[in-house]
Amino acid sequence: EKEIKDIAFEAKNICQNGRFENLNLHIREGEIVGMFGLMGAGRTELLRCLFGLDEMDAGELFYKGKQIRPVNPQNCIKIGMAFITENRREEGLLIPKTLKENIVLSSLREHKKNLLFMDAAKEKENTDKMVKSLNVKTFDPGKQTAGTLSGGNQQKIVIAKWFMGNPDLLIMDEPTRGIDIGAKAEIYKLMDMLVKSGKSIIMISSETPELLGMSDRVIVMHEGYQTGEFKCGELDQDKLMAYAIGEGGKYHQ
């Protein structure tokens, strides 16, 4: 059974000119926080700021009480954050490299034998395990290149890569878009495993069943503003949509 504990990550007064201002959010250990909004709500832009991919005009990020400074992807990765981007082909994969090379990319430290050599047996074993659990269609992960896979299978490789690094805080942008139902279930299982071991996940999803089914809390955004925040069980699809179009007020009696 999973247990939600202390605040792991906090964003205070995040501003980005013309996009959003004074946004605040926090996420606890063992928690999945879902983010919902329509096109142009600013969800992806916000998460890119939290990972240091885009610059903030103002605001502070804290991880386990310590401020992250400077906010850049290198620092974020160092403290155990990972970002599974929606734009997988351009940002998530090394297209000409093999599946194995892609999968072990974010966990090279764990796969080192010594200073000079990688542990080939461990790389193979962990890659095979990931490929099997996510049901990646491949003839040989050590030989086949990522560019030859279908979109759905490429997405699974990106997810395998970041999960292999065992992140403490995982940011996922539309994690299961374009993925077959069987693999979706496997990804949900991996997400569950992660949070049960005390890690945290922030997930953007436009699929309301996924959002309502996986999240402990849901944050709703509309045109750069946070219009609502709900615990699991306080939401249904109608209410979610009302807050996403900026008409959540009708639910306040």
Side-chain angles (χ1 to χ4, degrees), residues 12-233:
K12 290 185 178 171
N13 300 320
I14 304 298
C15 300
Q16 197 188 47
N17 195 16
R19 285 225 170 103
F20 35 79
E21 51 190 274
N22 296 331
L23 279 178
N24 294 283
L25 65 90
H26 70 273
I27 178 163
R28 296 178 178 277
E29 293 169 19
E31 185 178 41
I32 297 178
V33 174
M35 293 193 83
F36 185 73
L38 305 177
M39 285 291 286
R43 301 168 306 163
T44 296
E45 290 81 359
L46 174 61
L47 294 193
R48 286 179 64 87
C49 279
L50 300 187
F51 198 65
L53 288 164
D54 293 340
E55 227 169 290
M56 308 182 292
D57 295 326
E60 298 170 317
L61 303 183
F62 296 88
Y63 185 71
K64 303 210 168 155
K66 277 178 70 173
Q67 190 171 352
I68 303 172
R69 269 200 310 232
V71 179
N72 59 34
Q74 293 81 346
N75 257 350
C76 290
I77 289 169
K78 205 189 287 175
I79 61 165
M81 289 171 68
F83 188 3
I84 296 179
T85 164
E86 189 192 6
N87 188 3
R88 299 183 278 276
R89 246 191 116 79
E90 284 81 7
E91 294 171 23
L93 280 177
L94 299 175
I95 293 295
K97 296 286 189 189
T98 66
L99 310 193
K100 186 181 80 178
E101 287 168 314
N102 270 284
I103 287 173
V104 300
L105 197 62
S106 70
S107 54
L108 294 174
R109 255 203 325 271
E110 290 79 20
H111 289 92
K112 266 190 177 166
K113 209 169 206 166
N114 52 38
L115 280 173
L116 292 174
F117 295 102
M118 301 297 284
D119 186 337
K122 193 174 173 189
E123 279 187 330
K124 184 178 182 329
E125 183 194 345
N126 285 340
T127 298
D128 288 348
K129 214 170 8 186
M130 271 294 179
V131 161
K132 189 165 180 263
S133 80
L134 287 175
N135 193 20
V136 177
K137 305 275 186 289
T138 171
F139 58 84
D140 182 347
K143 293 201 178 93
Q144 188 170 3
T145 61
T148 59
L149 293 179
S150 68
N153 281 300
Q154 285 182 351
Q155 163 72 327
K156 294 177 200 175
I157 296 298
V158 176
I159 286 175
K161 174 182 87 172
W162 285 114
F163 272 111
M164 192 83 101
N166 196 19
D168 290 320
L169 172 66
L170 186 55
I171 299 174
M172 306 178 90
D173 193 352
E174 301 287 4
T176 64
R177 180 175 278 172
I179 285 191
D180 57 275
I181 284 176
K184 269 186 189 186
E186 290 301 336
I187 288 164
Y188 297 152
K189 236 190 270 178
L190 284 171
M191 289 167 74
D192 252 350
M193 244 166 50
L194 211 65
V195 289
K196 276 185 180 143
S197 67
K199 319 285 190 172
S200 320
I201 295 174
I202 304 178
M203 167 182 76
I204 287 178
S205 178
S206 303
E207 297 191 26
T208 45
E210 172 171 280
L211 203 70
L212 298 172
M214 291 300 294
S215 309
D216 299 294
R217 250 186 320 132
V218 176
I219 291 168
V220 189
M221 286 181 71
H222 170 70
E223 291 180 356
Y225 291 93
Q226 187 177 317
T227 51
E229 185 179 324
F230 304 93
K231 282 200 182 82
C232 176

